[in-house]
Amino acid sequence: MNEIILLKLGELVLKGLNRRSFEDKLQANLHRRLHPFGQFRVYTRQSATYVEPMQDSCDVAGAYEALKKVFGIVGLSLARPCEKDKDAILAAAQEFLGDKLRAARTFKVETKRADKTFPMTSIQLSQYVGGELHERYPNLTVDVHHPELTVFLEVRDYSAYVHASPEPGAGGLPVGINGRAAALLSGGIDSPVAAYMIAKRGVALDMVHFFSYPYTSQQAKDKVLELARLLTPYTGQLTVHVVPFTAIQEELRRSCPEELFTIVMRRFMMRISQKVAARCGAKALVTGESLGQVASQTMDAMHVTGAVVNLPVLRPVVGMDKEEIVQISRKIGTYDTSILPYEDCCTVFTPRHPRLRPVLGEVEHAEEALDIDGMVQAAVDGIERIQIRG
């Protein structure tokens, strides 16, 4: 029988009457992710999901790597199905795991018997297979506490399965099960991590990027689009809404007190992002703000910038320090792109002494001379929408 991919579900199994909707969303996400690798049958039984290649031409190795980044899966293994017979299970273990069995020094066997009609208990099957393997591989010693190799046996509805060394999955919840949000995406380290973290909680995303040509270059824009592409294995297809922001920044430089420039600029970003959210059906905004990291990310500043929108503002990295954020960016593969030396619009016209504790009334007074609605609408009308596929 061909190898299959065995997926272990995470917190989906804790859901109650709505569990089916979570599983259906995960199934749809799996089918989309598997499409480039051939035709697979995907089905769920007894809190496990099976990905079975339907043709010899299927790229099982490519599919396995892709599924590591699908939210909703906590673990995955390449497994060998076999008949539900103790000797068939032993033969499958030897054939499928022979190289690992010859290379290891210590091992143990763990059995899960989901099919209670199987005539041996889990312990009995583990003892039988473990004893036979110990005799046939003289290099192996049993170590039930810290083995180099664990042979996993599962006896389920349709077949028995043999696998080893399960790898961790992406965890979280299936993307889309918790609605849609609009995420502000700069060229820095923090915002891609924030997008990844909120997608992990089952949120589908549209991305909003503010582009200030000629103050920011085409390379800076390309960098952001590459960051979006690097996120798609986790998020699925993304739309990047590229907002022309030059006119707004130039007007703010002329009309706003320098120390309030960044705060007022961010308020415009939030207003525009809320307009984008309304267009794409998003119910929240997502930012990469980390409390106290820069002047515009103090508690007072966050209050003032968030005051112009009525959508929830989700800040997944707000309590993390920079090193924690960097570690996640390395893990998801965005770090090397984020540190490329192409500046984004947040570095344009940076004030020498930005206000750390802005007062809402003072900021609103500074905006009174501006045609806020007209400026926002002009930016929204000029948005370029770019589809990003992984």
Side-chain angles (χ1 to χ4, degrees), residues 80-85 89 154-156 158-162:
R80 173 66 58 84
C82 63
E83 295 180 20
K84 291 192 286 186
D85 171 82
I89 293 170
E154 302 195 24
V155 183
R156 293 184 171 271
Y158 300 123
S159 299
Y161 300 89
V162 176

Side-chain angles (χ1 to χ4, degrees), residues 2 31 33 74 188 193 203 208 218 243 256 266 282 288 323 365:
N2 291 327
H31 281 293
R33 199 71 186 95
V74 296
V193 171
V203 178
V208 186
Q218 180 63 41
V243 180
C256 279
R266 291 188 67 84
E323 184 53 38
H365 177 71

Side-chain angles (χ1 to χ4, degrees), residues 215-249:
Y215 302 105
T216 54
S217 64
Q218 180 63 41
Q219 290 98 321
K221 178 180 174 182
D222 292 342
K223 170 184 170 179
V224 169
L225 297 179
E226 174 63 11
L227 287 172
R229 189 193 66 78
L230 292 170
L231 288 170
T232 56
Y234 300 98
T235 63
Q237 177 179 308
L238 290 171
T239 299
V240 181
H241 303 257
V242 181
V243 180
F245 208 51
T246 307
I248 288 178
Q249 289 193 296

